[in-house]
Amino acid sequence: MSDFTADWLSLREPLDQTARDLRLLLKLLAWRRTKGALAVVDLGSGSGANLRFLAPHLAGGQTWRLVERDGALLVGATWPRDPDGKLTAEPLVADLARLDLDELLAGADLVTASALLDLAAPAWLARLAAAASKHRPALYITLSYDGRVELSPGDPDDREVLALVNRHQGRDKGLGGPALGPAAADHLAARLEAAGYQVETSQADWRLDADHGPAIAHLVDGWAAAATESAPGQADIIAAWRDRRLDLARRGTLGGLVGHLDLLALWP
């Protein structure tokens, strides 16, 4: 569930774009209209999907700092054409687990991230909340996996395999120790509220159908690998489940839902 290859990011980007909660996005844009030029810090930016989606909506002057551990993804980062020169982007190849978040967020008006929180440990989220409460940027953090997966048609082994996937989400994903996984977005929301932010979360689910066959196949492979790592003794059962699910995905008859949460936090 922490596969961030360029191929996977390309597959998931259109799913992410359509899943984002419109109500929270509109609230962010209303906040933006009260600001001048924006300094934006994008955490775990990958190939720049957040910038590509948000910059045209935010409009006006924007300076983005793209923070990503995998420099190869940043090399491929692109952003919308800007003939007026109002949009600039600075890549920063760095490990978020080791960065001084207080220093990183200093001067930021907006902090963004996508598909990141569920990889984080409680201690890292505490550091993020502390740095945010000191510098008081808005936070728009989207598409955090929340543990809900529904596949259609169903399979007798769905429940067990997906439970093993969610168990795997609690392993160390490189952000400060064992990850909170599906509980991470609510955990950060509570910390930010305690610090004085006005916080809202909303479901932002992927809706998968026949048009998403390659993405579904990629998910099934990843889920099977994670489940097998969680329960090696059930490898044969998981492999058979994977084969059945991949067969349906290739025939365009497997669909479903993958649950995510969007979070918007504004300083009052």
Side-chain angles (χ1 to χ4, degrees):
M1 295 298 290
S2 57
D3 174 7
F4 294 111
T5 64
D7 287 345
W8 170 234
L9 293 178
S10 178
L11 282 173
R12 71 170 291 159
E13 187 165 349
L15 290 167
D16 288 344
Q17 289 179 351
T18 56
R20 289 175 188 255
D21 180 75
L22 180 60
R23 184 179 59 86
L24 292 191
L25 176 61
L26 291 175
K27 287 196 171 189
L28 174 67
L29 299 183
W31 166 87
R32 195 273 176 270
R33 289 193 290 271
T34 69
K35 305 295 178 181
L38 288 183
V40 185
V41 174
D42 187 43
L43 305 175
S45 60
S47 63
N50 258 343
L51 187 156
R52 285 190 291 276
F53 178 83
L54 273 180
H57 291 291
L58 294 172
Q62 302 169 51
T63 301
W64 285 68
R65 196 172 200 192
L66 306 177
V67 186
E68 171 57 48
R69 180 172 58 184
D70 186 346
L73 293 176
L74 283 176
V75 168
T78 60
W79 41 88
R81 184 171 175 272
D82 177 36
D84 298 324
K86 293 182 178 180
L87 173 64
T88 61
E90 170 197 359
L92 173 62
V93 179
D95 185 347
L96 284 171
R98 300 176 182 274
L99 273 181
D100 183 335
L101 296 181
D102 180 36
E103 180 179 334
L104 181 65
L105 269 56
D109 300 299
L110 172 64
V111 174
T112 64
S114 180
L116 178 73
L117 293 187
D118 44 283
L119 308 179
W124 189 87
L125 293 174
R127 289 173 51 210
L128 177 60
S133 63
K134 178 177 178 179
H135 300 291
R136 303 180 180 178
L139 295 97
Y140 179 59
I141 299 181
T142 59
L143 298 152
S144 300
Y145 174 63
D146 70 0
R148 293 177 298 120
V149 179
E150 301 171 9
L151 296 176
S152 178
D155 183 278
D157 291 325
D158 281 351
R159 182 184 296 273
E160 179 61 23
V161 171
L162 295 170
L164 291 172
V165 171
N166 284 338
R167 183 194 302 176
H168 191 273
Q169 284 290 100
R171 294 191 176 196
D172 189 337
K173 306 294 184 179
L175 268 184
L180 275 174
D186 287 337
H187 182 90
L188 179 63
R191 282 193 169 272
L192 291 171
E193 285 179 340
Y197 273 92
Q198 294 177 345
V199 184
E200 293 186 68
T201 61
S202 185
Q203 291 181 356
D205 300 338
W206 285 351
R207 305 281 177 172
L208 303 166
D209 57 32
D211 292 334
H212 304 120
I216 296 171
H218 192 107
L219 284 168
V220 166
D221 273 333
W223 288 332
T228 302
E229 287 184 16
S230 293
Q234 299 183 48
D236 290 346
I237 294 172
I238 296 166
W241 173 88
R242 179 198 63 213
D243 291 345
R244 292 193 301 273
R245 290 334 221 157
L246 286 177
D247 180 61
L248 293 182
R250 289 169 184 144
R251 289 194 276 144
T253 57
L254 181 61
L257 173 152
V258 180
H260 298 89
L261 292 176
D262 285 357
L263 177 153
L264 177 66
L266 303 175
W267 192 260

